[in-house]
Amino acid sequence: MRPVALLTDFGLSDHYVGVIHAVLEKYAPGIPRIDLDHLVPPGDIWEASFQLRCAWPHLPAGCVVMAVVDPGVGTDRRALGLALGRRFLVAPDNGLAACLGPASDVVEIDWRAMGLAEPSRTFHGRDVFAPAAGWLARGEDLTQLGKEVEPNLLVSCPLPDPEPLTSGYQATVISVDRFGNLATNLPAGSVNHRATAAWSSEGSARRVGTYSDAGDDEVVLLEGSAGFLELAVNGGSAAMATGLRREASLRITHIDDGDD
Amino acid sequence: MRPVALLTDFGLSDHYVGVIHAVLEKYAPGIPRIDLDHLVPPGDIWEASFQLRCAWPHLPAGCVVMAVVDPGVGTDRRALGLALGRRFLVAPDNGLAACLGPASDVVEIDWRAMGLAEPSRTFHGRDVFAPAAGWLARGEDLTQLGKEVEPNLLVSCPLPDPEPLTSGYQATVISVDRFGNLATNLPAGSVNHRATAAWSSEGSARRVGTYSDAGDDEVVLLEGSAGFLELAVNGGSAAMATGLRREASLRITHIDDGDD
Amino acid sequence: MRPVALLTDFGLSDHYVGVIHAVLEKYAPGIPRIDLDHLVPPGDIWEASFQLRCAWPHLPAGCVVMAVVDPGVGTDRRALGLALGRRFLVAPDNGLAACLGPASDVVEIDWRAMGLAEPSRTFHGRDVFAPAAGWLARGEDLTQLGKEVEPNLLVSCPLPDPEPLTSGYQATVISVDRFGNLATNLPAGSVNHRATAAWSSEGSARRVGTYSDAGDDEVVLLEGSAGFLELAVNGGSAAMATGLRREASLRITHIDDGDD
């Protein structure tokens, strides 16, 4: 059996997430279940895509991820099942399904073909995606969920890519975490260890190896735990210190002196 | 072994819920455990009853639910174990135990008869209800928990029933979810598809099939995921748009033109 | 296999806790996993120590606890593995590892000796502590994690001990829970059942057995569920009623009349 991991915007104040677990337990009794994140802001496909990208490399082989942030529930947006390497993803075709890059196989989940009861209009997480994840978890093949579709014709992920400049990149703040760290979309290996970030005429930060290399209240640029560069303040909040928010631009520049 | 599902007002900021899981793991090692909801407002039996009713039909057969919202802990209110169809419920006798309708069998949980240590005065969830749920989960019979009591003499559930009118129902707002949807106590099948809801001289809503049938900012009446009618705004908050809160009354009226 | 319980300050708004679960599932597939608390305020070793002390006696035998509140991540603070009775703890050597009293065996976790990839600078929970907990959960010996160190040379726990007075104790408010109860550091058995607490010239409370012994709005002193004395208001908030916060002092006095 394959473990199932869940990422939604259902919140924790209602029975919604609990019922998803109950449905998984019905379809795949005893399966290991993992909650990745249920506090994605309602309908925020951008944030869901970022969280999913960060978690993905650390999931067990064979893991089935159910990612449901689904403002289009009840419309004709497609529900998809994807094979990505040795893992699986079920997600709506609204950008979220595409956020991990190209899949080897994609099917459109078809509740009729699966023999499910007619889904409610408002809770496909419970009535479509969780049964599909449960089927995959107990070992069913992806093609049992519905017909194959063209992997290249999915709705694009909303996360922007960094843009190359002559001596670095124009990067974007992608997410702000609980500690006020500002994660960008630039992989840490893209620039060298003497890179700097600038976001205004006066706002700039040098790259350091770890929090403790920073001076008191200093905003620094360092590699975050998901492998992307981020702005941080040791023991403080970079979001507060800089005033930057999600979607803010910053210029991350190489300082190339020949021996790095 | 039977899975256990938990619904409490213990919150997520302390060790309380974790310790419940630990006690379950002691009494029924390896049992599947499901968190339904722990953010019920403190002492709010009404909200707990609603969440439990919504989740109940989706729980696996044999599931043991421990529902503990227990402002009377330490008094002589009874702790109950119930059999309802193929599932079990342990809950205090304060209205919560009665919220799912008549049980086939009810016992009063007796920690002395179970051979438990004397419970703390303030945390029967950990010391009484969790051991009882663990016993049921590992397959013990309900009668092992204590003596049978009369199923008809439980404290009544606080949730009001809808009241029939000549051409519809007087319904009540039962719960407001994270998205601002206003769930009522009226099952969706009680009125036809051309029903309307009215809550003031100017406030009214037509029934639609799904969110996307609604106009911009339009408050609509539709079937929620738990099978009850609710007021909603597509991409917005019906609670904000109408100013209605829990316990508000609304009149939901049939429009019968003979072909529906 | 041994169950694993988690206590962190990672919050619930990101993928951090989910990824810890994923790593545990990789190292110890199918292991029972328990979330004790992830909403410890960021970096608050004091609160983490209190929550861990409260939960500890209720954990199953053999349980492996991963407690990570780690403001010194990336510095040279040690990562430790401890054996305490029949349970295990992995935690940073910042006071948290010492909060449960003397361990029988302590090792310094050595990711190189364990053959792990080089950890990130900012997320040792994922890259060091979770693999160590996973190893213990699947049955490895503590000495597989690294070299033994002297149990008496750990960084001290920040929680203060109560100070004896001639007729009682100077106690400290250690934690304020969701309900506004003020937990102190004084074990309930330290004073008799006619003890009183005083925190100002006018503020005082008598000891009662349970909430329902309190008058309307009365602040009372009673034994909390973790075995420590606490100030509480039946159906209300002692924090609001008294204005006291964490670290506040109160004098808890015996009233000894010879027959208690």
Side-chain angles (χ1 to χ4, degrees):
Chain A
M1 294 220 297
R2 299 156 173 163
V4 177
L6 304 174
L7 190 147
T8 76
D9 63 349
F10 298 165
L12 297 170
S13 306
D14 300 279
H15 62 281
Y16 300 140
V17 169
V19 163
I20 297 292
H21 280 277
V23 172
L24 290 169
E25 180 63 27
K26 267 203 281 198
Y27 283 98
I31 206 77
R33 294 175 267 106
I34 294 169
D35 292 298
L36 289 177
D37 185 2
H38 298 293
L39 295 178
V40 172
D44 191 340
I45 298 164
W46 171 303
E47 179 69 12
S49 297
F50 174 71
Q51 297 294 338
L52 184 51
R53 277 192 190 174
C54 292
W56 188 258
H58 303 284
L59 300 175
C63 192
V64 178
V65 178
M66 173 185 138
V68 179
V69 173
D70 193 16
V73 64
T75 68
D76 58 0
R77 67 94 192 86
R78 301 184 297 182
L80 300 177
L82 300 85
L84 291 133
R86 297 167 63 194
R87 305 191 191 101
F88 300 90
L89 174 66
V90 295
D93 185 19
N94 60 13
L96 187 51
C99 79
L100 297 167
S104 54
D105 296 283
V106 185
V107 300
E108 179 173 357
I109 301 171
D110 181 345
W111 60 267
R112 285 184 187 83
M114 292 174 68
L116 302 177
E118 181 167 358
S120 70
R121 298 288 184 88
T122 58
F123 198 3
H124 287 192
R126 180 190 69 196
D127 299 336
V128 176
F129 291 104
W135 279 38
L136 292 172
R138 71 184 185 207
E140 305 278 354
D141 196 77
L142 197 61
T143 55
Q144 299 296 312
L145 304 185
K147 291 213 173 105
E148 290 195 59
V149 299
E150 176 53 59
N152 295 322
L153 297 178
L154 273 49
V155 173
S156 303
C157 179
L159 295 183
D161 289 322
E163 291 174 30
L165 303 173
T166 44
S167 62
Y169 293 88
Q170 191 79 24
T172 303
V173 173
I174 295 292
S175 184
V176 184
D177 76 7
R178 186 188 196 202
F179 303 95
N181 298 316
L182 299 159
T184 76
N185 57 350
L186 191 66
S190 309
V191 292
N192 68 13
H193 283 82
R194 276 188 296 285
T196 58
W199 55 90
S200 70
S201 57
E202 289 166 16
S204 71
R206 66 189 175 102
R207 182 164 180 178
V208 299
T210 184
Y211 295 135
S212 58
D213 298 335
D216 286 352
D217 301 324
E218 183 186 3
V219 180
V220 292
L221 181 71
L222 83 174
E223 179 175 350
S225 61
F228 297 97
L229 290 174
E230 64 184 35
L231 294 177
V233 172
N234 188 17
S237 163
M240 301 260 287
T242 63
L244 296 176
R245 302 185 180 190
R246 194 171 84 173
E247 301 193 45
S249 279
L250 57 172
R251 182 178 293 258
I252 299 181
T253 315
H254 288 287
I255 309 280
D256 188 0
D257 61 3
D259 59 25
D260 188 82
Chain B
M1 293 220 298
R2 298 156 175 163
V4 177
L6 306 173
L7 190 147
T8 77
D9 63 349
F10 299 165
L12 297 171
S13 306
D14 301 279
H15 63 282
Y16 299 140
V17 169
V19 162
I20 297 292
H21 281 277
V23 172
L24 290 169
E25 180 64 26
K26 267 202 281 197
Y27 283 98
I31 206 78
R33 294 175 267 105
I34 294 169
D35 292 298
L36 289 177
D37 186 2
H38 298 293
L39 296 178
V40 171
D44 191 340
I45 299 164
W46 171 303
E47 178 70 12
S49 297
F50 174 71
Q51 296 295 337
L52 184 50
R53 277 193 190 175
C54 292
W56 187 257
H58 303 284
L59 300 175
C63 192
V64 178
V65 177
M66 173 186 138
V68 179
V69 173
D70 193 16
V73 63
T75 68
D76 59 1
R77 68 92 192 88
R78 302 185 295 183
L80 301 178
L82 299 86
L84 291 133
R86 297 167 64 192
R87 305 192 190 99
F88 301 90
L89 174 66
V90 296
D93 186 19
N94 60 13
L96 188 50
C99 80
L100 296 166
S104 54
D105 296 284
V106 184
V107 301
E108 180 172 356
I109 301 170
D110 181 345
W111 59 267
R112 286 184 187 82
M114 292 175 66
L116 302 177
E118 181 167 0
S120 71
R121 298 289 183 88
T122 58
F123 198 3
H124 287 193
R126 180 190 69 196
D127 299 336
V128 176
F129 291 104
W135 279 39
L136 291 172
R138 72 184 185 206
E140 304 280 354
D141 196 77
L142 196 61
T143 56
Q144 300 295 314
L145 304 185
K147 292 215 173 102
E148 290 195 58
V149 300
E150 176 53 58
N152 296 322
L153 296 178
L154 273 51
V155 173
S156 303
C157 179
L159 295 183
D161 289 321
E163 290 174 30
L165 302 173
T166 45
S167 61
Y169 293 89
Q170 192 79 26
T172 303
V173 172
I174 294 293
S175 184
V176 183
D177 77 7
R178 184 188 197 202
F179 303 94
N181 299 317
L182 299 159
T184 75
N185 57 350
L186 191 65
S190 309
V191 293
N192 68 15
H193 283 82
R194 275 188 297 286
T196 59
W199 54 90
S200 69
S201 57
E202 290 166 14
S204 71
R206 67 188 174 104
R207 182 165 180 180
V208 299
T210 184
Y211 295 135
S212 58
D213 297 336
D216 286 351
D217 300 324
E218 183 186 3
V219 181
V220 291
L221 180 71
L222 83 176
E223 180 174 349
S225 61
F228 297 97
L229 289 174
E230 65 185 36
L231 295 177
V233 171
N234 187 18
S237 163
M240 301 261 287
T242 64
L244 295 176
R245 302 185 181 190
R246 195 172 84 174
E247 301 192 47
S249 279
L250 57 172
R251 183 179 292 257
I252 298 181
T253 314
H254 289 286
I255 308 280
D256 188 1
D257 60 3
D259 58 27
D260 188 85
Chain C
M1 292 218 299
R2 300 157 173 161
V4 177
L6 305 174
L7 190 146
T8 77
D9 63 349
F10 299 165
L12 297 170
S13 306
D14 301 279
H15 63 281
Y16 299 139
V17 170
V19 162
I20 297 293
H21 280 277
V23 171
L24 290 169
E25 180 63 27
K26 268 202 281 197
Y27 282 98
I31 205 79
R33 293 175 268 106
I34 293 169
D35 292 298
L36 289 177
D37 186 2
H38 298 294
L39 296 178
V40 172
D44 191 339
I45 298 164
W46 171 302
E47 179 69 13
S49 296
F50 174 72
Q51 296 295 337
L52 184 51
R53 277 192 189 176
C54 292
W56 188 257
H58 303 285
L59 300 175
C63 192
V64 178
V65 177
M66 171 185 141
V68 180
V69 172
D70 192 16
V73 63
T75 68
D76 59 0
R77 68 93 192 86
R78 300 185 297 182
L80 300 178
L82 299 85
L84 291 133
R86 296 167 64 194
R87 305 192 191 97
F88 300 89
L89 174 66
V90 296
D93 185 20
N94 60 14
L96 187 51
C99 80
L100 296 166
S104 53
D105 296 283
V106 185
V107 301
E108 180 173 357
I109 301 170
D110 181 345
W111 59 267
R112 285 183 186 84
M114 291 175 67
L116 301 177
E118 181 167 0
S120 71
R121 299 288 184 88
T122 58
F123 198 3
H124 287 194
R126 180 191 68 196
D127 298 337
V128 176
F129 291 103
W135 279 40
L136 292 172
R138 70 183 186 207
E140 305 278 355
D141 196 78
L142 197 62
T143 55
Q144 299 296 314
L145 305 185
K147 291 214 174 102
E148 290 194 59
V149 299
E150 175 54 58
N152 296 322
L153 297 178
L154 273 50
V155 173
S156 303
C157 179
L159 294 183
D161 289 322
E163 291 174 29
L165 303 173
T166 44
S167 61
Y169 294 88
Q170 192 80 24
T172 303
V173 173
I174 294 293
S175 183
V176 184
D177 77 7
R178 186 190 195 200
F179 303 95
N181 299 317
L182 299 159
T184 77
N185 56 351
L186 191 64
S190 309
V191 293
N192 68 13
H193 284 81
R194 276 187 297 286
T196 58
W199 54 90
S200 70
S201 57
E202 290 166 17
S204 70
R206 66 189 175 102
R207 183 166 180 178
V208 298
T210 185
Y211 295 135
S212 57
D213 298 336
D216 286 352
D217 302 324
E218 183 187 1
V219 180
V220 292
L221 180 72
L222 82 176
E223 179 176 349
S225 61
F228 297 97
L229 289 174
E230 64 184 35
L231 295 177
V233 172
N234 188 17
S237 163
M240 301 259 288
T242 64
L244 296 176
R245 303 185 180 189
R246 195 171 84 175
E247 302 191 47
S249 279
L250 58 173
R251 184 177 292 257
I252 298 180
T253 314
H254 288 287
I255 309 281
D256 188 1
D257 60 3
D259 59 25
D260 189 85

